Amino acid sequence: MLAFYNTNIYDIYENWLQTHFYWKTNHLPIKNRDDLFAEDASDFRYRYMLHSSNGYSLKWLPVTDANALWYISDQYPLLPVIRMSEVFYIMCEYLADNNLTEAISLLNTLRKARGASQLGVSLTKDEFLTSLYNDATREFIAEGQTFYLYKRLNKDMYNGEYPINMSGKYVIPLPDSETITQ
């Protein structure tokens, strides 16, 4: 729906990785990929956005496969700000309180478009929300949106090895002018 356009993203990405990480390659490892995708190896995000043998993210790397050239010209210079899938997630989260059946159906529509397995219609609200947040995490691999999702929900982040408690971390204090009550 809205994205920035930057044809130099490869150079920026590679320079940043080589400056900030010890392995000095242009690959960003995704530690919990097997847990994240569990039994859903048919999910396009697993099959095409992660390197099959070592699990590195392929999101910001140039594609050399001639069959994928459409993807380079249409997607790679784009840096998503908000996607249609995010609108789906927002709608699903709202509907979970009001119409769980419709929420499950809407998330299944998105999951079908991603080649992922369908959710059962008998999920509880908590089970559904867990599936919703897992799907959003899959969608936002290597983009940083997951941080904001988990921060907003005050949920622990998982770094692939252990959970990181986010309570009280990365919290900007509110100015006094916004906390004064009458």
Side-chain angles (χ1 to χ4, degrees):
M1 292 182 63
L2 175 65
F4 295 115
Y5 185 85
N6 186 342
T7 56
N8 296 321
I9 190 62
Y10 307 115
D11 297 331
I12 293 168
Y13 180 77
E14 186 172 345
N15 288 338
W16 185 84
L17 279 177
Q18 290 186 4
T19 302
H20 292 86
F21 292 100
Y22 64 89
W23 52 82
K24 303 294 183 197
T25 67
N26 59 350
H27 296 88
L28 188 61
I30 306 300
K31 292 182 183 178
N32 64 337
R33 67 189 178 279
D34 294 329
D35 293 336
L36 184 61
F37 289 92
E39 303 295 322
D40 209 356
S42 64
D43 191 316
F44 298 150
R45 297 166 290 194
Y46 181 75
R47 291 172 51 199
Y48 301 117
M49 291 174 52
L50 298 175
H51 191 277
S52 60
S53 63
N54 57 26
Y56 289 112
S57 170
L58 300 175
K59 187 162 248 176
W60 303 112
L61 300 180
V63 175
T64 55
D65 179 4
N67 295 325
L69 290 179
W70 64 270
Y71 190 65
I72 292 173
S73 62
D74 293 342
Q75 175 65 34
Y76 275 178
L78 298 178
L79 304 169
V81 175
I82 188 163
R83 318 162 167 247
M84 192 61 187
S85 58
E86 279 183 85
V87 174
F88 271 69
Y89 295 135
I90 292 166
M91 290 171 56
C92 286
E93 195 170 359
Y94 167 77
L95 287 170
D97 286 330
N98 302 296
N99 188 339
L100 187 57
T101 304
E102 188 176 346
I104 293 169
S105 175
L106 189 61
L107 184 57
N108 276 336
T109 300
L110 179 62
R111 291 175 62 86
K112 182 177 180 182
R114 302 296 188 254
S117 61
Q118 300 292 285
L119 300 174
V121 294
S122 62
L123 295 174
T124 66
K125 178 185 171 187
D126 288 339
E127 291 170 334
F128 171 75
L129 289 175
T130 298
S131 295
L132 174 70
Y133 301 141
N134 179 278
D135 201 81
T137 303
R138 293 177 182 190
E139 187 78 11
F140 303 139
I141 285 179
E143 287 183 13
Q145 286 294 87
T146 308
F147 171 83
Y148 297 109
L149 173 73
Y150 282 81
K151 186 63 184 161
R152 177 178 63 81
L153 298 170
N154 200 26
K155 294 176 76 94
D156 291 348
M157 295 286 294
Y158 180 70
N159 75 353
E161 296 172 10
Y162 54 87
I164 300 171
N165 183 334
M166 297 300 287
S167 300
K169 295 180 182 175
Y170 305 102
V171 177
I172 299 171
L174 291 174
D176 288 339
S177 64
E178 294 187 21
T179 60
I180 297 173
T181 59
Q182 303 269 336

